[in-house]
Amino acid sequence: MERGIDADFERFASRRELIHAFSGLAVLAATSQAGPAIFARRRLTGYPFTLGVASGDPRPDGAVLWTRLAPAPFGAEPISGPVNVDWQVATDSAFSRIAREGTAAAFPELAHSVHAEVAGLAADTEHFYRFRAAGEISATGRFRTVPDRSAQALAFAFVSCQKRTASGRYSSYLGLIDEGVDLVVHLGDYIYENRDIRELSDYRALYALYKSSPDLQAAHAACPFVVTFDDHEVENNYAGYHSLNAADTMALRRRRAAAYRAWYEHMPVPATALPYGSKLRVHRRIGFGDLAAFHVLDTRQHRDAPPCAPGMGPSIDGSLAVPVCTGREDPDRHILGADQEQWLRRSLADSRARWNVLANSVMMADFSTGGPVSPRLSGDTWAAYPAARGRLLRYLRDNRVSNPVVITGDAHANFVNDLRFGPGDIVAPEFVGTSISSPAKGQLLTEEQLSANPHCRYYSGDWRGYIRCDLTHGRVTMTLRVVVDPASSAAPAMTQAVFEVLDGDHYAERLD
Ligand code: FE
Ligand code: CA
């Protein structure tokens, strides 16, 4: 367990004030004729919007608008100081009806990224946005503000695990753009690090490589993303400050600081997610009127070391032989950390939404790949933290939380699971979405393994894709969409299966 969170947040608050002071300076520079010398008009060598635009965390009156000035994304940094970036939001794509405009500062300390938090817009309205810097204009992005109170319907999709394809193309994203959804929830593995990616400059270059994909840029331009992260944004299977490779544990704090900062620099997240050293706050709630609330979880940063970790017993390829790993059952073990766990209970208690969607990075249900005598579970999912899962499921059940639905990434396969508090006591459905492009993990599961996991209603590890979700007050419809060739620029998405959850049911039923 991590301690001293309060002290951390005090430091975090002062860091935020610093950034707001910076922003104030930028506004000053934009409104005065000459402006401070540091904001002198700069000539940028080349088109600066090479990594596209993005929006995120939509609200009834605004959203976060993101871009990054990168005239030479893979070369030496050509911009030396801060730069003013103008932004515009309109209700038409020709920008003839301007709703809001302003200026944000892009600082070299944050890789000249821009996170403009736009407010004052009309609720439940389609908006278009663009940026201007040094006489150049960015691509146009689109987002829809969310309904203020009553909402009848929402179409969103959730995605994860977008290992860069050799071509840089992502047919899953092309399919997703065609869906015309109003929101994408990204559950992590946005990039895949390797042992050579350790410094801030390495992570920045890796994000630039991923962000140079035209299909990923088009997906971000098409609709707002609500993002969290998983392990590969930092290091494979890390847990808190614990590295899978014991020799790396001392280096993980530095690596986390570099990786979290680069993550913030490239994601359309608000300033509340600004890192302070090796920590940042990712968990938050995104509302959608009375229809849905998204409780966005961080299952990496605060988790305790896995049982069977070095020094805790034998481990084979990250999985747990349960009888050996008795430490697994320790009631004090956390995957969210005590503070986030408390926040989640409050967030659920405060929610007045019909559907409470938990945006969750790693599988919450157990899945044993061993036999009944020697169950073998993943050491990297909630299966390694059963006490934490038990506390959450008990809370959902005892407080009659309205329609909890867990959406999950990481597995590179589609699963539909029952989350049970006890045998026969189904508390919530879990939908695990397959990867955008990352290959299937190891061997596909056998019929025998599946029948040993009766809480698993559906499994398919063959395909890449995403899950489309249609919400109304009466039901959630989950459409599992898959592509034949994830690296193609043409392959259409196909429907693999359709599941439905009715209001009050807490389990998924297959329709198609
Ligand atoms: Fe992955
Ligand atoms: Ca992962």
Side-chain angles (χ1 to χ4, degrees):
M1 262 306 300
E2 282 176 51
R3 304 289 174 209
I5 294 286
D6 287 348
D8 288 334
F9 270 94
E10 266 169 43
R11 258 181 287 142
F12 167 58
S14 58
R15 178 89 171 109
R16 278 191 72 193
E17 278 157 27
L18 188 71
I19 286 292
H20 284 148
F22 273 135
S23 311
L25 200 60
V27 170
L28 205 71
T31 49
S32 72
Q33 278 292 344
I38 55 162
F39 289 106
R41 279 189 181 281
R42 287 175 194 285
R43 297 217 354 230
L44 303 178
T45 49
Y47 182 69
F49 301 108
T50 55
L51 305 180
V53 301
S55 67
D57 286 22
R59 299 183 312 272
D61 73 332
V64 180
L65 306 183
W66 174 93
T67 192
R68 185 190 148 196
L69 307 181
F74 308 113
E77 176 61 70
I79 314 172
S80 53
V83 179
N84 275 330
V85 181
D86 301 323
W87 53 264
Q88 268 187 329
V89 178
T91 52
D92 65 322
S93 60
F95 289 86
S96 60
R97 296 192 303 273
I98 302 293
R100 278 284 184 281
E101 52 193 348
T103 302
F107 291 98
E109 292 81 356
L110 292 172
H112 290 102
S113 59
V114 173
H115 299 78
E117 292 181 38
V118 179
L121 304 177
D124 201 12
T125 302
E126 184 173 51
H127 290 88
F128 299 87
Y129 64 96
R130 62 184 179 184
F131 298 91
R132 186 179 62 199
E136 300 279 6
I137 293 177
S138 74
T140 294
R142 173 199 162 272
F143 68 92
R144 195 176 176 86
T145 47
V146 310
D148 206 357
R149 282 191 193 84
S150 102
Q152 294 315 307
L154 167 64
F156 74 98
F158 67 93
V159 302
S160 62
C161 297
Q162 55 186 42
K163 192 164 196 138
R164 190 174 189 275
T165 62
S167 62
R169 306 304 302 252
Y170 287 110
S171 64
S172 296
Y173 274 126
L174 293 173
L176 192 155
I177 292 164
D178 285 344
E179 306 274 347
V181 295
D182 279 327
L183 192 71
V184 170
V185 180
H186 199 301
L187 298 167
D189 287 0
Y190 192 100
I191 57 166
Y192 281 77
E193 97 301 352
N194 61 51
R195 59 172 58 191
D196 297 327
I197 307 291
R198 306 194 79 89
E199 305 296 331
L200 180 57
S201 57
D202 303 329
Y203 285 101
R204 283 176 174 168
L206 192 60
Y207 277 104
L209 182 65
Y210 276 67
K211 285 263 182 191
S212 63
S213 160
D215 303 333
L216 181 56
Q217 287 193 14
H220 277 294
C223 70
F225 275 47
V226 170
V227 298
T228 180
F229 50 49
D230 193 25
D231 54 338
H232 287 290
E233 283 86 348
V234 180
E235 176 181 301
N236 181 38
N237 285 8
Y238 79 100
Y241 286 112
H242 180 92
S243 176
L244 193 64
N245 173 4
D248 274 346
T249 287
M250 290 301 285
L252 184 56
R253 187 175 297 266
R254 268 193 80 220
R255 201 176 188 188
R256 252 177 61 162
Y260 286 177
R261 182 140 141 207
W263 180 83
Y264 174 79
E265 291 169 352
H266 293 86
M267 293 297 130
V269 288
T272 50
L274 188 69
Y276 44 107
S278 63
K279 300 177 183 192
L280 82 176
R281 182 180 168 131
V282 171
H283 62 267
R284 61 202 187 281
R285 186 171 72 187
I286 309 291
F288 194 87
D290 59 359
L291 184 60
F294 293 87
H295 309 266
V296 181
L297 305 184
D298 166 357
T299 59
R300 280 290 158 195
Q301 185 179 184
H302 308 290
R303 64 163 74 177
D304 290 320
C308 288
M312 296 181 72
S315 166
I316 302 166
D317 59 35
S319 68
L320 310 175
V322 171
V324 177
C325 296
T326 47
R328 188 179 90 99
E329 306 288 345
D330 182 342
D332 290 332
R333 286 170 48 70
H334 284 270
I335 185 168
L336 300 176
D339 291 280
Q340 186 183 180
E341 214 174 272
Q342 195 176 36
W343 163 84
L344 177 58
R345 284 192 293 269
R346 258 200 321 265
S347 186
L348 291 163
D350 291 347
S351 170
R352 296 287 167 268
R354 177 67 53 96
W355 301 93
N356 283 288
V357 182
L358 275 66
N360 167 56
S361 293
V362 294
M363 194 135 101
M364 197 174 281
D366 279 350
F367 194 95
S368 171
T369 50
V373 183
S374 57
R376 181 167 284 279
L377 302 170
S378 168
D380 191 55
T381 68
W382 287 75
Y385 305 86
R389 181 181 52 206
R391 288 191 295 272
L392 174 57
L393 295 182
R394 180 195 292 273
Y395 184 87
L396 294 173
R397 186 194 64 171
D398 291 356
N399 294 278
R400 296 203 161 82
V401 169
S402 182
N403 294 304
V405 175
V406 178
I407 60 172
T408 303
D410 177 56
H412 305 187
N414 280 316
F415 287 85
V416 180
N417 299 322
D418 293 339
L419 290 168
R420 298 176 182 176
F421 186 71
D425 189 1
I426 304 174
V427 175
E430 176 179 38
F431 292 88
V432 182
T434 189
S435 50
I436 283 285
S437 55
S438 310
K441 289 183 177 177
Q443 285 218 305
L444 299 179
L445 301 173
T446 63
E447 280 302 321
E448 201 180 356
Q449 287 171 326
L450 287 166
S451 61
N453 291 274
H455 56 280
C456 176
R457 289 175 181 249
Y458 181 83
Y459 160 79
S460 168
D462 294 329
W463 303 91
R464 316 280 71 83
Y466 55 91
I467 296 186
R468 178 197 166 108
C469 319
D470 290 276
L471 272 75
T472 64
H473 283 270
R475 72 194 64 217
V476 170
T477 309
M478 296 278 187
T479 308
L480 282 51
R481 302 278 282 164
V482 296
V483 296
V484 176
D485 174 5
S488 157
S489 59
M494 304 171 298
T495 295
Q496 186 182 38
V498 182
F499 285 84
E500 185 178 73
V501 185
L502 297 178
D503 174 30
D505 265 3
H506 298 201
Y507 59 85
E509 216 149 25
R510 186 165 180 180
L511 294 186
D512 204 0

